[in-house]
Amino acid sequence: MKKVVLFVIFIAAAVGFFHYGGKISQKSEEVLQNISDSPGIQEIKKQILTSGPLRGSSNPNNAYLTDGGTIIWTNQNRAEFNLPPLKENAKLNLAAEAKVKDMFQKQYFEHISPTGAGPGDLADNVGYQYIVIGENLALGNYKNDKALVEAWMNSPGHRANILNAKFTEIGVAVGKGTYEGKTTWLAVQEFGKPLSACPQIDANLKAQISSIRAEVENLESQVAAKKAELDSLDPKTKEEYEAYNQKVAEYNALVKIYNNKIDILKGLIAAYNSQVNVFNACAGE
């Protein structure tokens, strides 16, 4: 009679064990899929828009360019297409100035410097946090600011940057110097949409996701180890069944904690993804 009672207790515990085991498998697969496929776990990708550098006339007669005039004519062209004016940004001015100086010093005319630095690096160096950034370059002795901007407007890629509705800010630098042994002007436009223009993503939420995910992975290892231990046991005596049932109870308690953590993790991921979707929608405007 005792053996029958013990056998019933064992079956009840085992049913709990296999029920929770199935639940673990289902929930862990759901959450791991959510983590790997979720766009919210990925880093926000910044956009950098450029076009091939524009070369103009090498004739230096009567050529004269200014930073402010270039901005004025840029906004004049935007106005003709019912686009709002670009606001001058001091940090973007510094980035443009650094680009002009670097091209004269290193004798190159490209968006990427010989050291590998591009428009994004220029923005980072001056502390300009951006969602989208663009750069127009021009080399040549353009008669004036209007002629310079007209030359950019006549080039499809440069025109696209000037008329890009995403951009809200601009920085400009022009400079006269020696390039390839000739006296010439270099002009740089740096366009930007600042990071502050869009709703910010909660960095603490992402940190929580990383922390809870680490806990889930640790618990998963513990659950697997306890399940392997239970699978290896073959109780036959009353004492062995009692010890086994105790281990099953410990296992089921651990599974409950594990599943609760998974539910918390899924909730955090959903909240984070929602913020990312709002940010991406703003960044794409």
Side-chain angles (χ1 to χ4, degrees):
M1 187 66 177
K2 289 183 180 179
K3 288 184 178 180
V4 172
V5 172
L6 289 173
F7 180 73
V8 169
I9 293 173
F10 164 67
I11 291 298
V15 168
F17 159 59
F18 285 113
H19 169 71
Y20 278 109
K23 192 173 184 182
I24 295 167
S25 175
Q26 180 184 0
K27 287 209 168 189
S28 63
E29 287 176 7
E30 287 176 359
V31 172
L32 291 176
Q33 175 116 14
N34 195 332
I35 290 173
S36 61
D37 293 346
S38 168
I41 302 303
Q42 304 301 317
E43 293 294 330
I44 298 299
K45 292 184 178 180
K46 299 177 180 180
Q47 289 182 276
I48 299 176
L49 307 176
T50 61
S51 184
L54 182 67
R55 287 178 178 261
S57 171
S58 61
N59 183 359
N61 293 336
N62 301 320
Y64 187 74
L65 303 176
T66 68
D67 300 345
T70 302
I71 293 175
I72 290 172
W73 283 105
T74 297
N75 282 330
Q76 179 64 38
N77 278 275
R78 285 175 65 89
E80 292 176 7
F81 288 85
N82 297 316
L83 292 169
L86 299 171
K87 181 181 178 182
E88 184 175 1
N89 181 278
K91 289 181 178 179
L92 287 178
N93 280 339
L94 290 174
E97 183 180 355
K99 182 66 174 179
V100 168
K101 290 180 178 178
D102 195 56
M103 287 191 293
F104 273 129
Q105 289 173 357
K106 294 185 174 67
Q107 290 291 290
Y108 73 97
F109 184 52
E110 298 290 344
H111 291 289
I112 304 299
S113 76
T115 61
D121 301 296
L122 290 171
D124 292 339
N125 290 341
V126 297
Y128 184 80
Q129 295 183 306
Y130 65 92
I131 298 169
V132 187
I133 200 162
E135 184 178 79
N136 280 353
L137 303 179
L139 180 153
N141 292 305
Y142 300 91
K143 182 178 179 180
N144 51 35
D145 304 324
K146 181 181 179 181
L148 167 64
V149 176
E150 283 180 349
W152 272 324
M153 286 294 291
N154 289 330
S155 169
H158 300 91
R159 176 190 179 93
N161 271 346
I162 291 174
L163 300 181
N164 193 322
K166 292 182 181 180
F167 294 130
T168 60
E169 298 180 331
I170 189 173
V172 167
V174 299
K176 186 178 182 180
T178 301
Y179 181 75
E180 295 180 340
K182 297 179 181 180
T183 299
T184 190
W185 287 81
L186 283 174
V188 176
Q189 287 177 311
E190 298 290 347
F191 305 92
K193 181 173 184 176
L195 186 65
S196 59
C198 290
Q200 298 304 291
I201 297 169
D202 188 351
N204 292 329
L205 191 56
K206 188 173 183 180
Q208 281 183 276
I209 290 173
S210 296
S211 177
I212 297 297
R213 182 176 181 179
E215 290 183 43
V216 166
E217 291 173 350
N218 182 48
L219 284 167
E220 190 170 21
S221 296
Q222 293 181 47
V223 168
K226 281 195 173 291
K227 185 177 184 300
E229 181 184 6
L230 287 170
D231 289 344
S232 69
L233 296 177
D234 183 23
K236 291 182 174 59
T237 68
K238 174 184 176 181
E239 290 76 14
E240 288 174 343
Y241 278 127
E242 288 176 346
Y244 182 85
N245 288 339
Q246 178 61 36
K247 288 184 180 295
V248 168
E250 293 171 358
Y251 173 80
N252 287 340
L254 185 61
V255 167
K256 184 176 181 179
I257 294 171
Y258 175 74
N259 287 338
N260 286 340
K261 286 289 184 182
I262 286 178
D263 288 338
I264 292 171
L265 182 60
K266 290 178 72 174
L268 291 173
I269 289 174
Y272 184 81
N273 287 348
S274 177
Q275 293 185 14
V276 170
N277 290 336
V278 171
F279 181 91
N280 285 341
C282 172
E285 291 177 352

